[in-house]
Amino acid sequence: MSLTVEQTKERNNALIKEVLEVYPQKTAKNRAKHLGTYEEATEEGGKSDCGVKSNVKSVPGVMTIRGCAYAGSKGVVWGPIKDMIHISHGPVGCGQYSWGARRNYYIGTTGIDSFVTMQFTSDFQEKDIVFGGDKKLEKIMDEIQVLFPLNKGITVQSECPIGLIGDDIEAVSKKKSKEFGGKTIVPVRCEGFRGVSQSLGHHIANDAIRDFVFDKLDPTREFQSTPYDVAIIGDYNIGGDAWSSRILLEEMGLRVIAQWSGDGSIAELENTPKAKLNVLHCYRSMNYISRHMEEKYGIPWVEYNFFGPSKIEASLREIASHFDDKIKEGAERVIAKYKALTEAVIAKYRPRLEGKTVMLFVGGLRPRHVIGAYEDLGMIVVGTGYEFGHNDDYERTTHYVKDGTLIYDDVTGFEFEKFVEKIQPDLVGSGIKEKYVFQKMGVPFRQMHSWDYSGPYHGYDGFGIFARDMDMAINNPVWGLTKAPWK
Amino acid sequence: MSQNAENVLDHFNLFREPEYVEMLENKKSFENGHPVELVAEIRDWTKSWEYREANFAREALTVNPAKACQPLGAVFAAVGFEGTLPFVHGSQGCVAYYRSHFSRHFKEPSSCVSSSMTEDAAVFGGLNNMIDGLANAYAMYKPKMIAVSTTCMAEVIGDDLKGFIATAKLKGSVPEDFDVPHAHTPAFVGSHVTGYDNTMRGILTHFWEGKERVPTQKINFIGGFDGYTVGNLREVKRMFGLMDVDYTILSDNSDVWDTPADGEFRMYDGGTTLEDTKAALNAKATISMQEFSTEKTLAFAANHGHEVASFNHPVGVAATDKFLMEVARITGKPIPLELEKERGRLVDAIADSSAHIHGKKFALYGDPDLTLGLTAFLLELGAEPVHVLSTNGGKEWAAKVQALLDGSPFGKNCHAYAGKDLWHMRSLLFTEPVDFLIGNTYGKYLERDTSTPLIRIGFPVFDRHHYHRYPVWGYQGGLNVLVWILDKIFDEMDRTTNIPSKTDFSFDIIR
């Protein structure tokens, strides 16, 4: 009893109307702008985006799923840089809740030359709020130098109070950098109250790399370039994603000189201005630095999508188009090499997943990027939305979604629950805060931030895991047990 | 290419395949890392007494602390009341963190809203956020009560919660008589246990202040911030049932963090009813299982004429004896034979197994009350709690630990470390090794670095499932803790005796 596109649109619009009824008038008016049904552009015209407003303040009290600027900077962009120490500057909580939670895989000796899964905090006390924390920060940097002598740099990830009490972390960083012989020390103004979501934190973190890494580079530093040097930008190596991507780029003949920022190092950041092409996976979190490198160093950048064989294939060709025939042939060779694998994965899993419907709500690039991977398995994404997307994300989304897809920006807990309850998709892909809500409702779920502790999902190797995981979620026998048989 | 459809390799095995090992080795040429010898040298140095001294000389830096911030405890306490939605006034990212943190531990939904304050609120204050936030939360989530607490942002700018809530009510955000208790919970004071205390006191203040007390024979029971709340509160109810005690559990979150998967999402489930919370003023006594998690609350109850008693997360025979005898004394209800039999069974189990625990050296860390409870139990088992550490423990806590250690021959050469973190613990484990470590999930990093086997007891536990459903209180709870400790001891015995023709003479089938 599948609905026609027109029926789907009608159902979606009724559903939106229904959820808006619960809100106070002012909030209903606001939320209405964030909810919509994608209308495919026709010859008579049509929308160039998904018709929803985005990147504006969340409404108080609605249970937004969003995080903050600190989460965007420390949690996403800077945290994975493995050989630097990232100080969560302020009270203890922010660093504690984000400690090791994002699964940014790396190779290194933790506590000695790598620090990703550690929690360094200035653990602010009342006296630090009253008298300021700059002296404490200086002392912290001194102690880091003694106890962690192999660190390659320090970042200061500001929590809310820093900007409110007027601390001068820039001056402290400058002073200490000089004292430590020019060590890279990066003050980051990512206080959680800035902006409307994680997104501004990404931007601020990107700008900090520009100002405190690129602008301080020694112009005479040596680097042996090749014509095939690329940098992976915007892959956080969750469950090893960047690794299963890197291997494809290398197999096609490219040389990956840097990973931003999963399993990344300060040396790789510093090498990146020598790249011939920046390949950008998470546009949302790292388009800023990509644009900057294009302007300042003349490095072109290209977006790619390594979820699912259709998009991987197109992306490999797109990346190769920036290089000579050797690389183009390399791309074809890679595509051919993995053909048998992807066919076997699809042959095994597609029959089990064909026609199953999915609703997504994630951050960054995934609300659109994973759609192709689901489609490769015969699945249909019937609803999607961004936690912290901007208009340019929704524009890009139009290339992925089908006519009639339900779109929800910065969805509230209430809306998401109602949408899923009424649409009854076969799978929901979202985050840890949503996971158990839907599982209680008997709806199969996969975390699409952390890959639910699985992964990698990127690349051809990752696609096999993705397919297996979606199958195990949907075809889990537990969903047949939720109703007591005597009822 | 190693991946194949028939046997899908994920991160555990994929990256150990030769093509990835080679790729990752080659990646190092771009990392400009330190020479392997230097890394090894520094690694060895961090194991030394010299490093320990430098590490303990730290005055400003905290590394891998075992504590969280106040609002986490506020949310923990709030969800234990009937139909209650926690509302945290301040930046919204904090709430995303608390919800994630609890969901990762309990494997349950954790509902909580934020007033989503941003830069303009930092300048003008968050009054409008409170007005809109309360109105929206009330309309959408239909709570019976909204419990307001604060993030550090709202505290730094000095928002006046009481005034804001009153104004919001005047503006019609929620009905005038709707319950909106509040507590200031600054993240830069104390820890999550302090937030629990402040919120509990805030909620009781809301219901009790200005009301006349008509004493009854009921008692109030408070669990404190506790990762085993689901199992523990159910066990307490069972024991009180056996004793026929008339009681009110203040903040009963054992149902909301253990809801069934039956097709329905319950945002609220169970909890202390608001009627019972009001009536709790009339109780004869208020008892708390965690002294350091309820200091202000107990003082508040005492000021309202309650007899108060507190324990330190009692685990084991003597601690449970003390708890039950105190309950019996206060209520006048005798301890029934059934509980006495349970006691005997725990003693029996200890007698059966103590040979394997006796004299074993332990390091443990966690919240102040939990570490006190576990220290007492280890001493009872004849084990030596060599290093007892609490990041959120202070001088008073250390003195209490020391008193326990001094009171037992097994406590000799054992020490309490107040206000220290897990990087301190790392130095302790290297310089004064022990047989086993007890702590939360983060202890696995210590286990990896120092090869000290970790027994996971504490909060949070993210990487093992369902332990929060088991009690650690009562004689049954003591049995659980005993078994968790024994399981690790036996696993280690087997693990270290399984090399054929070398060590497997001790690979015994009966232990």
Side-chain angles (χ1 to χ4, degrees), chain A residues 29-49:
Chain A
K29 207 173 144 198
N30 177 311
R31 287 304 305 159
K33 296 174 192 155
H34 296 266
L35 306 173
T37 298
Y38 173 59
E39 300 271 355
E40 208 162 63
T42 58
E43 281 181 13
E44 296 91 65
K47 298 165 188 168
S48 62
D49 56 32

Side-chain angles (χ1 to χ4, degrees), chain A residues 27 57 139 152 263 440, chain B residues 27 32 59 120 136 259:
Chain A
T27 306
K57 279 196 281 191
K139 197 170 221 175
K152 292 283 192 75
D263 193 34
K440 302 286 178 190
Chain B
K27 180 178 181 295
N32 191 29
E59 289 175 352
D120 52 343
N136 288 324
T259 59

Side-chain angles (χ1 to χ4, degrees), chain A residues 326-380:
Chain A
K326 184 187 146 207
I327 301 299
K328 287 178 186 136
E329 284 156 21
E332 295 308 321
R333 197 174 56 241
V334 172
I335 292 164
K337 177 182 169 185
Y338 288 94
K339 205 91 194 171
L341 170 67
T342 55
E343 280 173 1
V345 168
I346 290 170
K348 181 174 177 186
Y349 291 107
R350 187 164 179 144
R352 302 166 63 82
L353 298 170
E354 187 80 50
K356 301 286 187 193
T357 55
V358 187
M359 289 177 75
L360 298 168
F361 185 76
V362 222
L365 66 152
R366 288 168 274 205
R368 62 175 179 275
H369 260 46
V370 296
I371 292 175
Y374 283 112
E375 288 175 351
D376 286 335
L377 294 168
M379 300 169 73
I380 310 150

Side-chain angles (χ1 to χ4, degrees), chain A residues 176-194:
Chain A
K176 284 290 157 185
S177 171
K178 205 172 157 196
E179 203 181 305
F180 300 154
K183 177 181 277 287
T184 303
I185 300 186
V186 185
V188 192
R189 285 290 181 177
C190 55
E191 288 90 343
F193 60 82
R194 294 192 196 278

Side-chain angles (χ1 to χ4, degrees), chain B residues 314-341:
Chain B
V315 179
V317 180
T320 306
D321 291 348
K322 191 178 154 205
F323 165 65
L324 291 178
M325 285 159 70
E326 193 68 351
V327 172
R329 183 189 65 75
I330 292 169
T331 60
K333 306 271 185 177
I335 299 168
L337 211 57
E338 190 158 348
L339 283 174
E340 204 175 313
K341 274 184 101 175

Side-chain angles (χ1 to χ4, degrees), chain A residues 77-238:
Chain A
V77 174
W78 277 108
I81 299 292
K82 61 184 177 181
D83 53 1
M84 298 176 79
I85 285 176
H86 311 289
I87 304 167
S88 292
H89 191 39
V92 70
C94 317
Q96 201 70 4
Y97 309 124
S98 56
W99 181 8
R102 248 176 80 83
R103 304 188 67 232
N104 307 110
Y105 281 11
Y106 62 100
I107 303 286
T109 308
T110 304
I112 310 300
D113 68 354
S114 303
F115 311 95
V116 180
T117 48
M118 295 177 69
Q119 155 38 351
F120 291 84
T121 172
S122 45
D123 188 13
F124 260 35
Q125 301 299 304
E126 195 148 29
K127 63 177 191 300
D128 302 313
I129 300 289
V130 177
F131 300 109
D134 286 342
K135 286 270 178 298
K136 187 174 198 178
L137 184 59
E138 283 192 30
K139 197 170 221 175
I140 283 171
M141 291 181 184
D142 291 341
E143 291 175 355
I144 284 174
Q145 281 306 94
V146 172
L147 293 170
F148 305 95
L150 299 189
N151 82 78
K152 292 283 192 75
I154 296 170
T155 72
V156 182
Q157 304 289 331
S158 301
E159 299 170 7
C160 288
I162 305 306
L164 300 171
I165 61 176
D167 272 13
D168 192 351
I169 59 169
E170 289 79 8
V172 173
S173 301
K174 195 173 170 185
K175 178 182 164 190
K176 284 290 157 185
S177 171
K178 205 172 157 196
E179 203 181 305
F180 300 154
K183 177 181 277 287
T184 303
I185 300 186
V186 185
V188 192
R189 285 290 181 177
C190 55
E191 288 90 343
F193 60 82
R194 294 192 196 278
V196 302
S197 67
Q198 292 93 314
S199 186
L200 188 63
H202 304 142
H203 197 155
I204 291 167
N206 277 223
D207 289 353
I209 297 174
R210 178 193 66 202
D211 297 343
F212 295 95
V213 179
F214 286 170
D215 287 359
K216 294 195 172 0
L217 282 180
D218 173 3
T220 65
R221 75 194 291 274
E222 284 194 14
F223 184 78
Q224 296 287 329
S225 288
T226 77
Y228 303 119
D229 291 355
V230 298
I232 294 176
I233 312 283
D235 189 323
Y236 302 102
N237 206 32
I238 291 164

Side-chain angles (χ1 to χ4, degrees), chain A residues 391-405:
Chain A
N391 197 43
D392 48 4
D393 290 300
Y394 284 100
E395 277 170 21
R396 284 165 168 74
T397 307
T398 60
H399 303 297
Y400 287 88
V401 291
K402 290 199 159 42
D403 201 17
T405 304

